[in-house]
mmCIF file of all heavy atoms in Angstrom:
data_model
loop_
_atom_site.group_PDB
_atom_site.id
_atom_site.type_symbol
_atom_site.label_atom_id
_atom_site.label_comp_id
_atom_site.label_asym_id
_atom_site.label_seq_id
_atom_site.Cartn_x
_atom_site.Cartn_y
_atom_site.Cartn_z
ATOM 1 N N GLY A 185 17.209 8.503 4.296
ATOM 2 C CA GLY A 185 17.100 7.105 3.907
ATOM 3 C C GLY A 185 15.735 6.663 3.442
ATOM 4 O O GLY A 185 15.624 5.690 2.699
ATOM 5 N N VAL A 186 14.694 7.367 3.841
ATOM 6 C CA VAL A 186 13.347 6.912 3.489
ATOM 7 C C VAL A 186 13.098 7.017 1.983
ATOM 8 O O VAL A 186 12.355 6.217 1.413
ATOM 9 C CB VAL A 186 12.259 7.653 4.302
ATOM 10 C CG1 VAL A 186 12.036 9.056 3.785
ATOM 11 C CG2 VAL A 186 10.967 6.866 4.313
ATOM 12 N N GLU A 187 13.780 7.958 1.324
ATOM 13 C CA GLU A 187 13.554 8.091 -0.115
ATOM 14 C C GLU A 187 14.142 6.915 -0.897
ATOM 15 O O GLU A 187 13.874 6.766 -2.085
ATOM 16 C CB GLU A 187 14.031 9.438 -0.651
ATOM 17 C CG GLU A 187 15.457 9.828 -0.410
ATOM 18 C CD GLU A 187 15.761 10.355 0.984
ATOM 19 O OE1 GLU A 187 14.979 11.074 1.612
ATOM 20 O OE2 GLU A 187 16.845 10.028 1.446
ATOM 21 N N ASP A 188 14.931 6.055 -0.238
ATOM 22 C CA ASP A 188 15.365 4.813 -0.881
ATOM 23 C C ASP A 188 14.181 3.869 -1.090
ATOM 24 O O ASP A 188 14.185 3.068 -2.015
ATOM 25 C CB ASP A 188 16.417 4.093 -0.035
ATOM 26 C CG ASP A 188 17.737 4.830 0.026
ATOM 27 O OD1 ASP A 188 17.997 5.671 -0.862
ATOM 28 O OD2 ASP A 188 18.510 4.568 0.958
ATOM 29 N N LEU A 189 13.183 3.968 -0.228
ATOM 30 C CA LEU A 189 12.009 3.098 -0.305
ATOM 31 C C LEU A 189 10.794 3.787 -0.909
ATOM 32 O O LEU A 189 10.002 3.153 -1.589
ATOM 33 C CB LEU A 189 11.634 2.601 1.094
ATOM 34 C CG LEU A 189 12.609 1.646 1.761
ATOM 35 C CD1 LEU A 189 12.208 1.405 3.207
ATOM 36 C CD2 LEU A 189 12.656 0.337 1.006
ATOM 37 N N ILE A 190 10.637 5.061 -0.631
ATOM 38 C CA ILE A 190 9.434 5.780 -1.048
ATOM 39 C C ILE A 190 9.821 6.895 -2.013
ATOM 40 O O ILE A 190 10.592 7.786 -1.658
ATOM 41 C CB ILE A 190 8.708 6.395 0.162
ATOM 42 C CG1 ILE A 190 8.382 5.331 1.194
ATOM 43 C CG2 ILE A 190 7.452 7.145 -0.296
ATOM 44 C CD1 ILE A 190 7.957 5.890 2.536
ATOM 45 N N GLU A 191 9.280 6.845 -3.222
ATOM 46 C CA GLU A 191 9.497 7.920 -4.184
ATOM 47 C C GLU A 191 8.279 8.849 -4.112
ATOM 48 O O GLU A 191 7.157 8.435 -4.423
ATOM 49 C CB GLU A 191 9.679 7.369 -5.590
ATOM 50 C CG GLU A 191 10.011 8.437 -6.601
ATOM 51 C CD GLU A 191 10.253 7.884 -7.986
ATOM 52 O OE1 GLU A 191 10.292 6.647 -8.162
ATOM 53 O OE2 GLU A 191 10.379 8.702 -8.911
ATOM 54 N N HIS A 192 8.524 10.078 -3.668
ATOM 55 C CA HIS A 192 7.425 11.023 -3.451
ATOM 56 C C HIS A 192 6.585 11.185 -4.722
ATOM 57 O O HIS A 192 7.099 11.414 -5.804
ATOM 58 C CB HIS A 192 7.966 12.385 -3.017
ATOM 59 C CG HIS A 192 6.888 13.399 -2.817
ATOM 60 N ND1 HIS A 192 5.982 13.314 -1.783
ATOM 61 C CD2 HIS A 192 6.540 14.488 -3.539
ATOM 62 C CE1 HIS A 192 5.134 14.326 -1.867
ATOM 63 N NE2 HIS A 192 5.461 15.042 -2.932
ATOM 64 N N GLY A 193 5.290 11.026 -4.556
ATOM 65 C CA GLY A 193 4.359 11.194 -5.662
ATOM 66 C C GLY A 193 4.227 9.978 -6.549
ATOM 67 O O GLY A 193 3.386 9.955 -7.443
ATOM 68 N N VAL A 194 5.059 8.951 -6.327
ATOM 69 C CA VAL A 194 5.007 7.739 -7.138
ATOM 70 C C VAL A 194 4.560 6.548 -6.290
ATOM 71 O O VAL A 194 3.594 5.876 -6.621
ATOM 72 C CB VAL A 194 6.374 7.451 -7.800
ATOM 73 C CG1 VAL A 194 6.348 6.138 -8.568
ATOM 74 C CG2 VAL A 194 6.779 8.599 -8.718
ATOM 75 N N SER A 195 5.285 6.295 -5.194
ATOM 76 C CA SER A 195 4.944 5.152 -4.342
ATOM 77 C C SER A 195 4.479 5.580 -2.954
ATOM 78 O O SER A 195 4.256 4.756 -2.083
ATOM 79 C CB SER A 195 6.148 4.213 -4.210
ATOM 80 O OG SER A 195 7.263 4.889 -3.698
ATOM 81 N N GLY A 196 4.342 6.864 -2.761
ATOM 82 C CA GLY A 196 3.875 7.399 -1.487
ATOM 83 C C GLY A 196 4.026 8.908 -1.463
ATOM 84 O O GLY A 196 4.432 9.513 -2.451
ATOM 85 N N LEU A 197 3.684 9.484 -0.343
ATOM 86 C CA LEU A 197 3.790 10.930 -0.185
ATOM 87 C C LEU A 197 4.706 11.231 0.988
ATOM 88 O O LEU A 197 4.507 10.725 2.089
ATOM 89 C CB LEU A 197 2.406 11.547 0.061
ATOM 90 C CG LEU A 197 1.406 11.366 -1.086
ATOM 91 C CD1 LEU A 197 0.037 11.883 -0.671
ATOM 92 C CD2 LEU A 197 1.890 12.080 -2.342
#
Side-chain angles (χ1 to χ4, degrees):
V186 76
E187 56 281 322
D188 292 339
L189 292 172
I190 304 167
E191 184 177 353
H192 178 69
V194 176
S195 57
L197 297 174

